[in-house]
Amino acid sequence: VNQKWHFLFLNPWCVKNNKETVDSRQSVIVVLYNDVEKYPPTINKAIELSRRVDQVTILGRSLKKPLFTFPKNVKYVRHDAYFTDANLDEIPAWRKLYSFIGFIQRLKKEIKLSNPSMVICHDMMAAFAYWLLLKIQWNKNKPLFWYHNHDVIHDWTIPRQSVMWLAKRYEPGFFNKMDIFTLPVEERKIYFPIQKFTGLVHVLPNYPLLSRINQIRSTNKGGNEDTIR
């Protein structure tokens, strides 16, 4: 790994043109194409970032009524208020594609509003959305692209011609636009084309702070136990 990238983990919003310079934009966007409250590592990252930057925007999907309370400088944007876990499987493919396009448009809007230094994508679909946006819109001065892959998704588990199938097909192309790639365990590196990737590759475990896990669990009493990924 190129050593010049390691300081990003200490001060990732102070980068311009691959040089260690001060960037006055104290804003970060965290993106997850799922219900944020089902993923404690995403909540943990947003809260820890909120202690270091002026504003954190979380963009996720709205599959249930929000229960978690974020710090005042964390803006929680919920997409698809009419989707729920119960009816997600019944929604036709065209409606899911339409929803994903709307998600990309909402991400574009939030980037314009907060002018972030970095966009952190916490799953493959979120990274696909940002990658498409970068191909369409930005040629320079783009917010840094950090992709954290918390789950390896195999081709044979995905319905063909679905939005997720397209995301998986184009995932290797993400690395042409990406600045930082992290994953929770060393063994998963073999599933990604990192040999020619010139950015930072780092193993970043998915375990939130223990106090954060307890706080999240206390808001979900009576619900299903979600895996801490």
Side-chain angles (χ1 to χ4, degrees):
V1 179
N2 194 326
Q3 294 296 316
K4 73 178 182 179
W5 291 96
H6 279 287
F7 73 90
L8 288 171
F9 280 93
L10 299 177
N11 199 5
W13 38 89
C14 295
V15 181
K16 280 185 178 178
N17 302 322
N18 298 343
K19 297 180 181 179
E20 191 169 355
T21 57
V22 175
D23 188 336
S24 61
R25 296 180 295 173
Q26 296 293 311
S27 174
V28 173
I29 295 180
V30 180
V31 191
L32 178 72
Y33 198 67
N34 209 317
D35 195 310
V36 171
E37 294 192 29
K38 295 173 64 177
Y39 290 80
T42 304
I43 293 176
N44 184 69
K45 178 170 286 186
I47 293 175
E48 291 304 308
L49 284 169
S50 73
R51 299 166 58 185
R52 294 168 171 82
V53 298
D54 295 332
Q55 179 182 339
V56 176
T57 299
I58 307 175
L59 174 59
R61 300 179 73 193
S62 176
L63 302 180
K64 63 179 182 179
K65 182 179 179 180
L67 299 172
F68 194 86
T69 301
F70 290 98
K72 292 183 179 180
N73 64 332
V74 176
K75 176 185 176 184
Y76 183 12
V77 179
R78 302 167 62 230
H79 179 68
D80 268 338
Y82 300 103
F83 280 20
T84 67
D85 279 328
N87 68 9
L88 199 57
D89 292 336
E90 302 172 0
I91 296 172
W94 70 266
R95 180 67 179 86
K96 292 179 180 179
L97 176 60
Y98 182 79
S99 173
F100 183 68
I101 293 172
F103 188 84
I104 296 172
Q105 293 173 335
R106 190 57 188 259
L107 175 58
K108 178 181 177 181
K109 178 181 178 180
E110 294 303 324
I111 291 174
K112 184 176 181 180
L113 287 173
S114 63
N115 189 28
S117 304
M118 177 181 291
V119 175
I120 306 175
C121 301
H122 248 218
D123 62 10
M124 181 179 69
M125 295 296 292
F128 187 37
Y130 187 40
W131 177 75
L132 287 171
L133 199 54
L134 290 177
K135 288 183 71 68
I136 295 169
Q137 183 156 348
W138 277 283
N139 293 317
K140 59 181 180 178
N141 297 324
K142 70 175 179 68
L144 285 169
F145 185 175
W146 178 346
Y147 175 25
H148 179 73
N149 179 283
H150 55 75
D151 277 328
V152 175
I153 302 175
H154 297 289
D155 295 359
W156 61 84
T157 65
I158 307 171
R160 289 184 62 83
Q161 310 304 324
S162 64
V163 179
M164 184 176 290
W165 180 82
L166 288 173
K168 184 63 178 178
R169 182 178 178 182
Y170 286 105
E171 187 178 40
F174 301 174
F175 289 81
N176 296 328
K177 296 283 187 180
M178 202 188 306
D179 300 294
I180 305 171
F181 177 61
T182 55
L183 64 175
V185 292
E186 185 80 22
E187 291 77 10
R188 295 185 186 179
K189 286 183 178 180
I190 63 172
Y191 296 105
F192 301 95
I194 61 175
Q195 294 77 15
K196 296 182 180 180
F197 180 52
T198 59
L200 173 64
V201 178
H202 195 78
V203 174
L204 189 65
N206 272 341
Y207 302 116
L209 297 176
L210 187 58
S211 60
R212 199 83 68 225
I213 294 175
N214 294 333
Q215 184 181 4
I216 294 166
R217 283 177 175 169
S218 68
T219 67
N220 287 285
K221 289 181 179 179
N224 295 328
E225 288 292 330
D226 292 308
T227 302
I228 298 173
R229 303 178 184 274

